[in-house]
Amino acid sequence: MRKFLLLTLALLCFGALANADSFTTYATRAQQNPDDFIDWTQLGPDFTISGTTIPSPQVVSTFNGNLATVGNITGGDFLRVDQGLGWGGSFDNGEALIWTGNPNFGLGGFGPFSVALQQPVASVGFGIEADEIAPFTATTWAYDTNGNLLFTYTINGNPNCGYGAGCEAFVGIGDLSGPNIASVVISTDSGDPFWNNDFAIDAISTSALATPEPGSIALLGSGLIGIAGVLRRKLAR
């Protein structure tokens, strides 16, 4: 009976670990190791060529056919721009971007910007840059299909790190407990209401499985070894 109780307790502990959302973050897209993308060129050419803004919300698709609804949560229009044309920042030249716009310039509306996926994913990543060339922070909130907040991640931006140098800040989050990320909301703070939530992002990359950091794997392994050792000692008695 005692052995049965100990084994039951261990299984319950494993179940609790499996069902709780455990998140990791990625500093680069290579670390994220995505298997799907939202390419913004599907929304048309650069704004300076088309002369049009894009209404919020807008339905787009990943390469693998996962539909997503995107747009400024304020309801304002956003813009499709390319690095080197409508956007003069630090993304790789020619990179297809989405710009929230800035109503102070009469172009689009402020963010935050939302990406809601039809099928939840295990990781989301994107490059981001604020419009103002000054220090900024970028915050991303991840939600499940029921609108429950799963994770919040804030990074410091890389302002003016080099024109067309591909040195923009990268936001990458992964849910190690499974594909539970149904939507993300992205916001920036430039320290000035004139520029807050005025930013551009590049392609949204996603994956069906999240890649854990090596340190996370080692920590999980040591934890399991510790639990196994306790159980052996208990059962030996």
Side-chain angles (χ1 to χ4, degrees):
M1 181 65 178
R2 186 179 179 187
K3 292 182 180 180
F4 175 76
L5 290 175
L6 287 171
L7 290 172
T8 301
L9 178 61
L11 290 173
L12 288 174
C13 290
F14 284 125
L17 288 171
N19 291 326
D21 284 290
S22 177
F23 273 78
T24 188
T25 60
Y26 310 109
T28 65
R29 204 168 322 248
Q31 287 182 5
Q32 183 199 1
N33 192 27
D35 55 28
D36 205 1
F37 289 86
I38 297 177
D39 181 357
W40 298 121
T41 58
Q42 65 189 284
L43 292 175
D46 180 281
F47 167 78
T48 59
I49 297 173
S50 66
T52 60
T53 58
I54 302 171
S56 295
Q58 197 73 207
V59 175
V60 296
S61 176
T62 68
F63 283 132
N64 293 336
N66 191 2
L67 297 179
T69 303
V70 303
N72 290 326
I73 65 173
T74 58
D77 291 355
F78 59 97
L79 297 88
R80 241 289 293 133
V81 292
D82 291 332
Q83 166 66 32
L85 289 176
W87 188 264
S90 300
F91 295 95
D92 287 323
N93 280 327
E95 189 80 24
L97 312 170
I98 285 298
W99 173 29
T100 58
N102 188 321
N104 293 312
F105 301 134
L107 292 172
F110 286 128
F113 194 82
S114 171
V115 179
L117 296 151
Q118 185 178 53
Q119 297 296 326
V121 296
S123 77
V124 173
F126 53 88
I128 187 168
E129 188 173 57
D131 196 0
E132 184 184 24
I133 303 176
F136 72 95
T137 59
T139 300
T140 301
W141 294 269
Y143 299 88
D144 66 14
T145 55
N146 295 317
N148 297 311
L149 179 63
L150 298 174
F151 189 66
T152 303
Y153 183 41
T154 299
I155 65 165
N156 293 318
N158 298 333
N160 199 26
C161 61
Y163 182 85
C167 55
E168 74 284 350
F170 182 77
V171 175
I173 58 176
D175 185 351
L176 299 177
S177 59
N180 298 314
I181 303 173
S183 64
V184 294
V185 175
I186 309 159
S187 174
T188 59
D189 186 343
S190 297
D192 183 344
F194 189 95
W195 298 99
N196 287 343
N197 284 313
D198 175 359
F199 60 89
I201 59 173
D202 64 7
I204 298 286
S205 54
T206 67
S207 65
L209 295 174
T211 303
E213 294 176 317
S216 299
I217 297 174
L219 182 61
L220 177 61
S222 63
L224 295 180
I225 291 171
I227 292 173
V230 171
L231 285 175
R232 282 197 299 269
R233 289 193 297 271
K234 292 288 187 183
L235 293 176
R237 294 177 188 151

